[in-house]
Amino acid sequence: MTSGQLFNLVTLGYFASMVLFVAFLATHSRTVAMLATILAYLGFAVQTVAIGLRWYETYQVPGGMGYAPLSNLYESVVFFSWTILLIFLLIDLKYRQKSVGAFVLPFAFLAMTWAQLRLDSSIAPLVPALQSNWLTYHVITCFLGYAAFAVACGVSIMYLIKVRKESHGEDNPAGGLVGLFPSAKILDDLNYKAIMIGFPLLSLGIITGAAWANYAWGTYWSWDPKETWSLIVWFIYAAFLHARFTRGWAGRRAAVLSIIGFGATIFCYLGVNLLLAGLHSYGAGG
Amino acid sequence: MSGKQSGIMTAVWDFFCSLKLSIFTLICLAVTSIIGTVIQQNLTRNEYLNVFSEKTYAILDALQFFDMYHSWWFVGLLMLFCLNLICCSIKRLPRVWRVVKNPMMTPSDAALQGFSNADVCRVKGQVSDLAARMETFLAQNFTVARRNQTEDGIYLYAEKASYARFGVYVTHLSILIIFLGAIIGNIYGYKGFVQIPEGGSVDQAWLRSGGTIDLGFSVRCDDFSVSFYDNSQRPKEYRSLLTVEDQGQVIVEKRPVIVNDPLTYKGITFYQSSYGPAGGEVMTIKAKVRDADKTQALVLHRGEQGLLPDGSRVQVADFTPSFRNFGPAARLQVKPPEGESYVVTVFQNFPDFDNQRNGELIFSLVDFDQLYYTGLQVTRDPGVWVVWVGCTLMVLGCLVAFFLSHRRLWVVLKEEEGKVRISLVGSAHRNQPAFELYFDSLKEKFRQELA
């Protein structure tokens, strides 16, 4: 069994879980929701094992010295989907809002599919710039932050759908796809909670990145596109956090800001590497 | 000051304190920052003219888009951001300070009615006995309370995590500290680079901003090497061996400096950042006398002449690290003590090649060493510690601000129509839903206690 095969299983598991979460919205069946959650847990467990296995495999390649599997685009995308599941399961444990799964699992499934089908999964030993413990701290904090923002984005989409339905049709009975959504108030609160988790993690991600840059290159901040975009993301969520306390900015505008924030996060993560040039160029392709 | 003037002053002050200004500034910073990631920064005029027309170039240049993060308007936005931070802290901090330092120990009934989490029980008994029981109750279920007696009755007050109210201000302060660190670094620090050939040393660095700066000591590169992963072009390690000498004394000797492991001396840090050929190789040449057990090895630079025991002079006329597919090769000019000079070609990979020439001396190329220079980034930044202090405060401040809340409980005991009226009132400065749940369970215990 290789880690690649296990990751394929994980992808299938997340796909099934996603379909079941959507089916839950349609059928309102508790059993379906339970199955979807169990599959999400199973997928997460297998993915954890697979990441461990890949770590082991990095020691097995000829000339390899072993490294935490967080060094190229493939590994980071896989780790990203793992962190999305982690944050989702934590929020599920605390708030038990099953319908959220239908809007969060797709992110994890898409990430895994893209990684497995389109990205280069070969194990390559680390170039000198990446040989640093800061790499591990930096990647883990950043991606936990990104995952929290992904959950916030999913919840914000739910919020917008919910509010729209509520304002449009009074004839809309408790049924329908939206019937099982948490109330707008809870969704707004979940959005805020997820960003509350994500923001300190993003800050820590930027700080560990700066510390590493200072250690490797002698500059903690050089306005390269990756750094700048991470700061843009930080500005957006800082605006979000302050918007919460301002009249007229909670609710709809906050949800929109959260979605824009996640869009910027994805651009910071992928767009910068694929479209712009900069210090993080080794993160692209692989 | 007239009323109108003070009205304007208040308006200006409120403007700089407002949350709307914070949101506006943050969004402006986010949007304008994009410009510098799309337009490459700090290129030369000619490089820009390859992309933009004269006219576009002139407009973008006037807007300082080519060095936008240092432009007057971006720095202006950052200053507005700081001003906003400072003003709203000045406005709100004293009030928060008062709440924490001088808590409402004996709030009026009106003040107590303002809190949404409350419960009341009426029981028979002595006020002082009940107060003692409630003190134990609070100590067991919350924390030790402070007791105050007034004419009205007995007030018990307990609080947790009052410092949580400062989390926001610590976070705001941390941003100012980070800016301060950056400013210190800009004024008192510098960024430069040196290139040292193997065996060479420097006591000056080139500044990125132009010019040179004296280091105050000398750095020698004893050796530079680059290694690759097995059978690949993938670099594994760049390594310089550096020796630092200060006033003739060796301070650091042959310290390996690799990427991610710099060398610091007297506040100046050297980072491995590049390398290149220093334009010279050293060849090890062996000359064997035919049919004798005599061998002589020479270590020669290109063009350098070496003397063999029989009086022949050898000079490396040419060298290439790869001659077609045959690997490293050298052409030697040999001048015997008598007679014509001749040319010999030797290959490192084919040590017996010169044997076929049937000369009196058999030459071979044993090894060669490419001479490199090492490129080091040289940085002095006395503000960097201030930045790290700011960063630490930011993370701590965020955690406190987001995850802790200042929780307060009051128990007020008053005599009322032969009974004692005991009210339990609670308040949290944030995360109300969680506190409501907590208060509900506390209310249950409170009623059981008094039942």
Side-chain angles (χ1 to χ4, degrees):
Chain A
M1 201 66 145
T2 64
S3 61
Q5 290 168 316
L6 285 181
F7 285 130
N8 279 331
L9 270 179
V10 172
T11 315
L12 279 177
Y14 290 166
F15 176 71
S17 171
M18 174 181 85
V19 169
L20 286 171
F21 271 123
V22 175
F24 164 63
L25 291 187
T27 62
H28 293 205
S29 155
R30 284 271 138 210
T31 325
V32 173
M34 174 76 96
L35 267 177
T37 313
I38 290 173
L39 272 173
Y41 270 100
L42 271 178
F44 180 71
V46 174
Q47 193 175 13
T48 311
V49 172
I51 289 174
L53 183 59
R54 185 172 169 96
W55 199 333
Y56 171 76
E57 285 165 357
T58 62
Y59 285 89
Q60 306 305 308
V61 293
M65 299 185 297
Y67 62 89
L70 306 167
S71 77
N72 59 28
L73 190 56
Y74 170 82
E75 288 164 345
S76 73
V77 172
V78 167
F79 184 67
F80 185 31
S81 81
W82 185 83
T83 53
I84 290 174
L85 258 287
L86 178 70
I87 302 279
F88 166 69
L89 293 176
L90 285 178
I91 287 189
D92 180 63
L93 276 181
K94 182 123 198 245
Y95 299 98
R96 305 235 164 249
Q97 297 292 348
K98 297 294 179 196
S99 55
V100 174
F103 289 82
V104 174
L105 256 289
F107 290 122
F109 166 66
L110 278 178
M112 281 310 290
T113 314
W114 186 44
Q116 289 303 90
L117 294 182
R118 301 304 298 271
L119 295 178
D120 179 7
S121 68
S122 59
I123 291 173
L126 300 182
V127 295
L130 295 180
Q131 294 166 12
S132 169
N133 285 334
W134 287 110
L135 169 70
T136 316
Y137 309 139
H138 176 56
V139 173
I140 288 177
T141 46
C142 281
F143 280 93
L144 283 173
Y146 292 180
F149 296 149
V151 171
C153 174
V155 170
S156 294
I157 293 171
M158 292 175 78
Y159 178 89
L160 291 182
I161 295 174
K162 180 91 179 175
V163 174
R164 207 195 159 99
K165 286 271 173 194
E166 278 177 356
S167 65
H168 273 251
E170 283 78 2
D171 54 325
N172 190 40
L177 282 183
V178 185
L180 286 173
F181 281 21
S183 71
K185 198 180 155 196
I186 290 181
L187 286 171
D188 187 49
D189 191 50
L190 275 179
N191 185 19
Y192 177 59
K193 291 248 161 66
I195 289 171
M196 226 167 64
I197 297 170
F199 191 75
L201 285 165
L202 173 73
S203 306
L204 209 52
I206 296 174
I207 292 167
T208 50
W212 182 16
N214 189 55
Y215 214 61
W217 297 306
T219 325
Y220 54 82
W221 197 263
S222 54
W223 293 107
D224 97 294
K226 193 81 164 182
E227 289 171 348
T228 308
W229 270 96
S230 70
L231 191 65
I232 291 170
V233 172
W234 193 89
F235 283 142
I236 294 174
Y237 286 112
F240 171 93
L241 291 169
H242 289 87
R244 292 270 311 177
F245 305 113
T246 310
R247 199 180 296 261
W249 272 83
R252 239 186 80 80
R253 278 197 198 173
V256 170
L257 210 49
S258 169
I259 293 169
I260 292 174
F262 186 60
T265 306
I266 288 299
F267 190 83
C268 174
Y269 173 29
L270 300 172
V272 171
N273 293 84
L274 304 177
L275 302 174
L276 308 172
L279 285 173
H280 273 72
S281 47
Y282 40 69
Chain B
M1 199 187 282
S2 76
K4 198 178 176 187
Q5 260 179 328
S6 80
I8 292 171
M9 291 297 284
T10 316
V12 169
W13 173 248
D14 284 348
F15 170 75
F16 280 112
C17 291
S18 74
L19 257 174
K20 286 218 167 88
L21 180 66
S22 318
I23 298 169
F24 170 79
T25 321
L26 284 166
I27 290 177
C28 278
L29 282 168
V31 171
T32 54
S33 292
I34 298 173
I35 297 168
T37 67
V38 180
I39 300 175
Q40 282 203 33
Q41 300 287 291
N42 297 308
L43 299 181
T44 61
R45 188 186 136 85
N46 282 335
E47 284 170 302
Y48 284 122
L49 286 178
N50 286 334
V51 188
F52 303 110
S53 70
E54 275 293 344
K55 210 171 162 185
T56 322
Y57 173 83
I59 295 170
L60 295 178
D61 193 38
L63 292 170
Q64 302 186 355
F65 276 15
F66 298 132
D67 189 18
M68 67 145 280
Y69 302 110
H70 305 100
S71 67
W72 64 267
W73 52 267
F74 192 76
V75 173
L77 265 178
L78 287 175
M79 279 163 65
L80 182 63
F81 179 56
C82 289
L83 199 62
N84 184 214
L85 273 178
I86 295 169
C87 288
C88 76
S89 297
I90 290 177
K91 184 178 172 184
R92 294 182 176 85
L93 197 52
R95 200 164 44 194
V96 172
W97 185 260
R98 274 198 302 276
V99 169
V100 172
K101 276 287 138 189
N102 308 309
M104 276 197 297
M105 304 263 229
T106 53
S108 65
D109 285 349
L112 284 175
Q113 271 159 18
F115 296 112
S116 54
N117 294 297
D119 196 33
V120 179
C121 281
R122 286 185 180 76
V123 287
K124 281 185 179 161
Q126 284 288 318
V127 177
S128 55
D129 290 350
L130 286 165
R133 261 170 72 192
M134 288 326 293
E135 266 180 331
T136 332
F137 171 78
L138 281 176
Q140 272 168 1
N141 293 293
F142 191 65
T143 188
V144 177
R146 280 179 274 181
R147 180 176 178 156
N148 286 286
Q149 190 143 16
T150 68
E151 290 165 4
D152 295 337
I154 295 177
Y155 290 80
L156 301 179
Y157 172 71
E159 64 177 356
K160 266 185 176 174
S162 59
Y163 58 87
R165 286 184 187 263
F166 296 120
V168 176
Y169 304 98
V170 170
T171 311
H172 287 177
L173 180 69
S174 77
I175 293 170
L176 298 176
I177 292 177
I178 291 170
F179 278 127
L180 180 71
I183 291 168
I184 293 175
N186 266 312
I187 296 176
Y188 299 104
Y190 57 79
K191 296 202 187 324
F193 63 98
V194 290
Q195 293 183 337
I196 321 175
E198 285 180 283
S201 69
V202 294
D203 51 13
Q204 282 191 326
W206 297 92
L207 292 177
R208 301 265 171 210
S209 51
T212 60
I213 191 156
D214 282 323
L215 296 174
F217 52 87
S218 78
V219 182
R220 186 172 70 236
C221 172
D222 294 301
D223 185 46
F224 174 83
S225 60
V226 50
S227 59
F228 297 88
Y229 287 104
D230 300 345
N231 307 319
S232 76
Q233 292 290 95
R234 202 174 170 83
K236 185 177 185 178
E237 187 180 73
Y238 306 112
R239 172 193 288 258
S240 301
L241 282 185
L242 299 186
T243 296
V244 175
E245 278 186 38
D246 196 352
Q247 293 171 345
Q249 250 188 328
V250 175
I251 309 290
V252 180
E253 198 173 12
K254 294 194 175 171
R255 151 86 146 78
V257 170
I258 60 175
V259 182
N260 279 311
D261 189 11
L263 163 74
T264 303
Y265 178 62
K266 282 194 169 168
I268 303 175
T269 310
F270 298 84
Y271 303 84
Q272 182 65 57
S273 77
S274 65
Y275 74 102
E281 301 89 3
V282 186
M283 276 67 69
T284 310
I285 308 290
K286 212 162 71 179
K288 182 178 182 294
V289 181
R290 187 173 290 276
D291 303 327
D293 203 17
K294 275 196 232 164
T295 325
Q296 166 87 16
L298 294 171
V299 178
L300 298 174
H301 282 92
R302 193 193 298 241
E304 189 186 351
Q305 231 174 32
L307 189 63
L308 289 174
D310 73 341
S312 299
R313 290 172 189 282
V314 187
Q315 188 181 8
V316 180
D318 201 4
F319 171 81
T320 169
S322 73
F323 179 73
R324 303 228 172 98
N325 289 328
F326 303 122
R331 205 162 59 229
L332 310 176
Q333 181 97 34
V334 187
K335 192 171 183 333
E338 282 144 33
E340 288 290 295
S341 67
Y342 54 94
V343 173
V344 176
T345 307
V346 285
F347 296 93
Q348 187 178 345
N349 296 348
F350 308 99
D352 285 337
F353 182 76
D354 192 47
N355 196 8
Q356 294 156 24
R357 188 173 48 89
N358 279 324
E360 187 56 26
L361 292 168
I362 305 164
F363 292 95
S364 57
L365 173 61
V366 180
D367 199 7
F368 78 96
D369 191 13
Q370 167 77 54
L371 280 185
Y372 288 107
Y373 71 81
T374 181
L376 304 169
Q377 159 89 14
V378 182
T379 300
R380 186 181 138 78
D381 189 347
V384 76
W385 287 108
V386 181
V387 172
W388 298 145
V389 167
C391 289
T392 312
L393 284 179
M394 174 182 286
V395 174
L396 293 178
C398 274
L399 292 179
V400 169
F402 289 152
F403 299 109
L404 292 178
S405 97
H406 179 206
R407 289 179 296 168
R408 296 178 289 177
L409 288 179
W410 290 268
V411 175
V412 184
L413 303 100
K414 289 182 182 174
E415 278 189 86
E416 201 178 78
E417 295 157 13
K419 282 189 173 178
V420 181
R421 180 179 184 275
I422 307 179
S423 41
L424 173 71
V425 178
S427 141
H429 96 289
R430 59 181 315 287
N431 200 4
Q432 303 304 333
F435 185 72
E436 268 171 43
L437 287 176
Y438 171 79
F439 192 82
D440 284 344
S441 74
L442 189 73
K443 208 156 71 178
E444 288 301 310
K445 289 181 196 157
F446 172 69
R447 287 180 181 177
Q448 277 167 20
E449 176 71 28
L450 295 175

